[in-house]
Structures are given as C-alpha cells and as structure tokens.
Amino acid sequence: GETRYFHEMNALWNSVNLAIAGIGYFSITGQDPSSWDLATSFQKHQSFQKILLFNAGLDLGYIAGGLYLTERAKRNGVNQERLRGFGKSIMLQGGFLFVFDLVNYFIASSRDGGLHLMLGATSNGIGMTVLW
C-alpha cells in the first residue's frame, strides 16, 4: 500500500542522489586546489554558497510538490495510496535536503570572515592584508 510506495520513491530518489554525488566526486578528483590563487578560491567559495541557496529553494519546491501529491490523493479515481506514499516521501526528502543545504550554507558563510579580511578595496586600489 502506501508504505510500499513511500519506500519505492525513497529508493528512486536516493538513486538520483547517488548519481549526483558520483558525478560531483569524479568532477573534482581532477582538480588541484593548491594551484588556485586567492581570487579563484574566493570565487569558488562564493559560488558554492550560491549553489547551496539555490538548492534550498529547490528543496522548498520539492516539499510543495509532495504536498500537492498528498492533496491530489484525496480525489476519487486516482491511485490514492501511491500519491500519498510518493508525496510523503518527497516531503521527507525535500525537508532533509532543505535542512542539509541551509546548515552547509551557514557553515560555509561562517568561514567568510577571514576571506573578507584578506581582501580590501580603497580609493587608491585593491589590497591584501596578511594576518598572523
């Protein structure tokens, strides 16, 4: 019944997560972070934060989609158990990913302080401060 569909969607969802993680892993194995200059490191850090916030927005969309499926399950003439099971699974996965992305965003943004202190701009130009 509903429980079967819940677990089926979890398996499908996590298969996609595994594929995404594998692609991400293999895409970074060829990179050498020690070859990056400060500007490149800062740009990649900022890009990572933007990706996390974008993903958090997508996660809210997943939760809304799950709510839609559970609401749609109330209609006659549809496979109510499948819609409820899929909807609950999607809400659970979206909720977890939302928390995961926000926690990682706040962890990453807490590391911004040192980067902002190292780069500075004045009316005379751009400078870098080295603290030790």
Side-chain angles (χ1 to χ4, degrees):
E2 180 182 324
T3 303
R4 175 185 171 265
Y5 290 114
F6 175 82
H7 292 298
E8 182 180 320
M9 180 54 73
N10 282 337
L12 291 170
W13 191 282
N14 286 304
S15 297
V16 171
N17 286 342
L18 182 62
I20 292 169
I23 291 168
Y25 175 76
F26 287 113
S27 71
I28 64 165
T29 55
Q31 297 182 13
D32 180 19
S34 64
S35 67
W36 299 343
D37 60 0
L38 181 62
T40 303
S41 295
F42 186 72
Q43 182 271 331
K44 289 190 179 285
H45 180 72
Q46 293 293 318
S47 176
F48 176 67
Q49 288 179 329
K50 289 177 185 177
I51 289 170
L52 288 172
L53 287 179
F54 179 76
N55 283 345
L58 288 177
D59 300 337
L60 291 175
Y62 299 147
I63 295 169
L67 285 170
Y68 169 76
L69 290 177
T70 55
E71 184 62 31
R72 178 123 173 118
K74 295 177 183 175
R75 296 182 182 177
N76 292 327
V78 297
N79 188 340
Q80 295 176 340
E81 290 178 344
R82 182 176 67 183
L83 291 176
R84 274 195 307 271
F86 282 2
K88 288 179 180 180
S89 173
I90 291 171
M91 286 188 292
L92 175 70
Q93 296 289 336
F96 170 78
L97 289 173
F98 180 72
V99 170
F100 179 82
D101 289 334
L102 283 183
V103 165
N104 279 295
Y105 170 78
F106 287 120
I107 289 170
S109 66
S110 72
R111 296 178 180 152
D112 281 353
L115 291 174
H116 289 299
L117 289 175
M118 289 196 277
L119 300 175
T122 66
S123 60
N124 296 332
I126 298 174
M128 183 175 87
T129 304
V130 179
L131 302 173
W132 69 90

